[in-house]
């Protein structure tokens, strides 16, 4: 089954404790992206990657890092999480040349930073 | 001013009603227009897609784009309780950027 998976689905942590949220897709997509979803603000893009070893900032990259060492994986790293990073996070992927409507979303990771 | 404006609702309608959801935008470069449906504790899933202006119909759903007014709509006919979800509009100027509305929470009551 074609899908985007994220782990963990739920995470409660404390300020300053480094964490990684994993994202994996099995559709051989070149393009992958991370979003955060907050009430009243919709989804906002954090980082995206056009292909392996190619990443770029989205609209809200502060406090986040990403890496793209393999085509299927695109982890989101919070080096020193803060309470304002409490949010619902989504990973998405699509073919690089494909239109934006072909973007598939993962199930989401709900992060709480205390 | 936000690039994409969407009334967050909530919107509550009786089963069988016609639902109208709307978004306005400010960026005239947008040419891809999408509606996503998001059930509770799930990721967004694509519901409707329109390129440039015009209408598109898929079963009970109709998407309309009016680029001259920078206004897009989603109509749901004969609404069902299973349509209860948050509906997100999204739009894009290129293949790789996307701007989302805040989402409208819809409840269809039996």
């Amino acid at each position: 089954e074609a899908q985007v998976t994220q782990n963990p689905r739920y995470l409660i942590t404390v300020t300053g404790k480094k964490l990684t949220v994993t994202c994996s897709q099995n559709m051989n997509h070149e393009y992958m992206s991370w979003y955060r979803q907050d009430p009243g603000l919709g989804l906002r893009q954090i980082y995206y990657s056009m292909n392996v070893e190619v990443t770029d900032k989205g609209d809200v990259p502060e406090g986040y890092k990403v890496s793209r060492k393999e085509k299927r994986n695109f982890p989101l790293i919070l080096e020193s999480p803060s309470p304002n990073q409490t949010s619902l996070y989504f990973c998405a992927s699509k073919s690089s040349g494909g239109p934006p409507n072909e973007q598939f979303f993962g199930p989401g990771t709900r992060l709480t930073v205390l | 001013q936000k690039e994409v404006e969407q009334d967050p609702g909530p919107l509550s309608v009786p089963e069988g009603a016609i639902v109208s959801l709307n978004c306005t935008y400010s960026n005239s470069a947008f040419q891809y227009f999408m509606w996503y449906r998001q059930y509770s504790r799930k990721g967004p899933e694509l519901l409707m897609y329109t390129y440039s202006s015009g209408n598109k119909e898929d079963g009970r759903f109709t998407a309309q784009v009016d680029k001259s007014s920078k206004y897009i709509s989603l109509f749901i006919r004969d609404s069902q309780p299973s349509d209860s979800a948050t509906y997100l509009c999204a739009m894009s100027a290129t293949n790789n950027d996307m701007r989302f509305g805040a989402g409208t929470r819809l409840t269809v009551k039996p």
Side-chain angles (χ1 to χ4, degrees):
Chain A
E1 179 190 354
Q3 60 183 351
V4 178
T5 57
Q6 296 179 228
N7 281 292
R9 293 291 312 278
Y10 302 90
L11 178 60
I12 301 174
T13 189
V14 296
T15 298
K17 186 176 181 181
K18 181 179 178 179
L19 66 92
T20 299
V21 183
T22 65
C23 172
S24 183
Q25 50 93 6
N26 62 0
M27 295 168 279
N28 201 35
H29 285 162
E30 296 85 7
Y31 179 94
M32 297 185 74
S33 182
W34 275 103
Y35 295 87
R36 61 179 287 173
Q37 185 175 31
D38 301 290
L41 297 176
L43 282 95
R44 294 178 293 166
Q45 192 178 52
I46 303 170
Y47 268 95
Y48 65 95
S49 169
M50 299 288 288
N51 213 325
V52 175
E53 302 291 1
V54 180
T55 62
D56 213 340
K57 296 177 181 179
D59 296 320
V60 288
E62 295 79 17
Y64 304 94
K65 285 176 57 177
V66 292
S67 70
R68 188 88 183 275
K69 294 183 170 55
E70 305 166 284
K71 197 173 188 179
R72 64 182 294 128
N73 296 323
F74 190 42
L76 179 70
I77 303 155
L78 284 73
E79 295 267 1
S80 183
S82 62
N84 64 13
Q85 293 178 298
T86 292
S87 188
L88 181 57
Y89 291 85
F90 289 99
C91 181
S93 74
K94 73 176 184 73
S95 296
S96 251
N101 61 298
E102 292 181 354
Q103 189 162 211
F104 291 89
F105 285 85
T109 295
R110 185 167 292 281
L111 171 66
T112 301
V113 183
L114 302 175
Chain B
Q1 183 191 8
K2 290 182 185 176
E3 211 165 3
V4 180
E5 298 275 3
Q6 181 177 10
D7 186 341
L11 183 61
S12 182
V13 301
E15 184 175 354
I18 296 174
V19 176
S20 173
L21 304 168
N22 311 293
C23 288
T24 59
Y25 63 94
S26 58
N27 187 348
S28 57
F30 288 145
Q31 52 181 340
Y32 301 94
F33 302 92
M34 291 142 284
W35 285 95
Y36 285 85
R37 179 174 59 196
Q38 185 177 19
Y39 290 115
S40 181
R41 287 185 280 277
K42 299 283 189 182
E45 54 178 352
L46 183 69
L47 188 61
M48 296 288 286
Y49 161 68
T50 308
Y51 175 71
S52 195
S53 279
N55 295 357
K56 190 168 189 177
E57 189 173 320
D58 183 1
R60 296 183 295 111
F61 299 89
T62 299
Q64 289 185 350
V65 174
D66 182 347
K67 290 188 75 177
S68 62
S69 301
K70 296 189 179 68
Y71 187 88
I72 71 170
S73 301
L74 177 71
F75 297 96
I76 307 174
R77 290 183 299 281
D78 188 26
S79 56
Q80 302 295 309
S82 59
D83 295 327
S84 297
T86 296
Y87 290 80
L88 301 154
C89 64
M91 40 200 86
S92 177
T94 70
N95 279 342
N96 299 311
D97 70 320
M98 195 179 291
R99 294 291 184 271
F100 287 85
T104 300
R105 179 177 288 182
L106 170 68
T107 301
V108 181
K109 296 185 175 179

